[in-house]
Amino acid sequence: MSPFWQGVLASVVAGLLLIIGGYIARIAFSSVREWVANRRGAVAVLRQQLASDQPTVRGEATIQVLFGAAKWFMIAALLYGASSVEIIPWPFGVPLKLLALACLVASLWWVFQYQNPARATPAEWSELLTTYRWVLVFNPPHRLKPITFMPDGTVGEGRNNNEYMWRVSGDKLELVQADGRVHSRFAFNQRTTSFLHTNDADTLSIRGQYIIPASSAANNRLQLTRETRG
């Protein structure tokens, strides 16, 4: 093969490798970003549970925190023990000790990041809304549907002309109709990590509505069926 065609082939191969590398990097970045968002949402949920007025909820959250700290501590102990085994060459023992130290720091951080949990702010529960799936009880007590809140302010699953957009107004969550009018307005309930209808006179929805996390225990008794998706 002539040097010219060798150069062409090398350029094509390099271009393909660059495209494949960019595609892999894009997938990796998207996965990392999704993991970070889920992790931040999980931390926010656990912090709210630790601040709950219900002893049972606080107790379960405390157990989760202690279990997470114990997990990292056990990993640190195993890595440090492995680094001390005589059959492992000295150069390989140093990285294991460093990993053990990092896991020990992670164990301590797991506990300290949940200390003195603050009351949720609108920015924090906006993050909760966009991270998890929720259930809107739009005609209590039996009429309900799943609902998701997209980062761009639109309603994803459960969208219709009534629940068309969402926004945070002051310290309230508002569901806006397709014509721009406020359909319903909710206040965040710190104790139950839910949103309760304010029943304001200017809202157009049924009174007494509320929004709960789809993963909450309440969802066990509020079974989602095709008839209730509204």
Side-chain angles (χ1 to χ4, degrees), residues 1-76:
M1 182 180 294
S2 66
F4 172 77
W5 289 111
Q6 289 180 356
V8 171
L9 181 60
S11 299
V12 172
V13 171
L16 289 175
L17 290 176
L18 183 62
I19 293 174
I20 294 173
Y23 183 72
I24 293 175
R26 181 180 179 183
I27 294 176
F29 178 76
S30 177
S31 299
V32 170
R33 183 173 57 183
E34 182 178 356
W35 179 87
V36 170
N38 290 335
R39 176 62 191 151
R40 291 175 62 187
V43 169
V45 169
L46 194 52
R47 285 177 62 86
Q48 303 320 309
Q49 291 174 343
L50 288 169
S52 173
D53 296 331
Q54 296 183 350
T56 302
V57 175
R58 291 199 309 271
E60 292 176 352
T62 301
I63 291 174
Q64 291 186 52
V65 172
L66 294 177
F67 179 81
K71 176 186 67 176
W72 285 110
F73 184 81
M74 288 296 297
I75 294 175

Side-chain angles (χ1 to χ4, degrees), residues 126-147:
S126 291
E127 184 175 338
L128 294 181
L129 284 169
T130 57
T131 302
Y132 295 98
R133 296 178 69 251
W134 298 78
V135 173
L136 168 63
V137 183
F138 58 88
N139 191 350
H142 302 301
R143 296 286 289 174
L144 53 102
K145 67 178 180 181
I147 187 171

Side-chain angles (χ1 to χ4, degrees), residues 81-96:
S83 68
S84 302
V85 176
E86 294 182 356
I87 61 175
I88 297 180
W90 177 81
F92 296 101
V94 174
L96 288 178

Side-chain angles (χ1 to χ4, degrees), residues 1 10 36 39 43 47 51 57 60 70 76 80 100 113-114 129 146 152-153 176 187-188 193-194 196 216 225 230:
M1 182 180 294
V36 170
R39 176 62 191 151
V43 169
R47 285 177 62 86
V57 175
E60 292 176 352
Y80 186 81
Q113 70 175 325
Y114 296 111
L129 284 169
D152 63 357
V176 182
F188 183 66
T193 317
S194 60
L196 307 180
S216 69
T225 61

Side-chain angles (χ1 to χ4, degrees), residues 162-175:
N162 290 332
E163 291 84 30
Y164 191 79
M165 303 281 292
W166 71 277
R167 68 190 180 198
V168 176
S169 179
D171 60 348
K172 300 295 188 296
L173 165 67
E174 293 182 343
L175 295 182

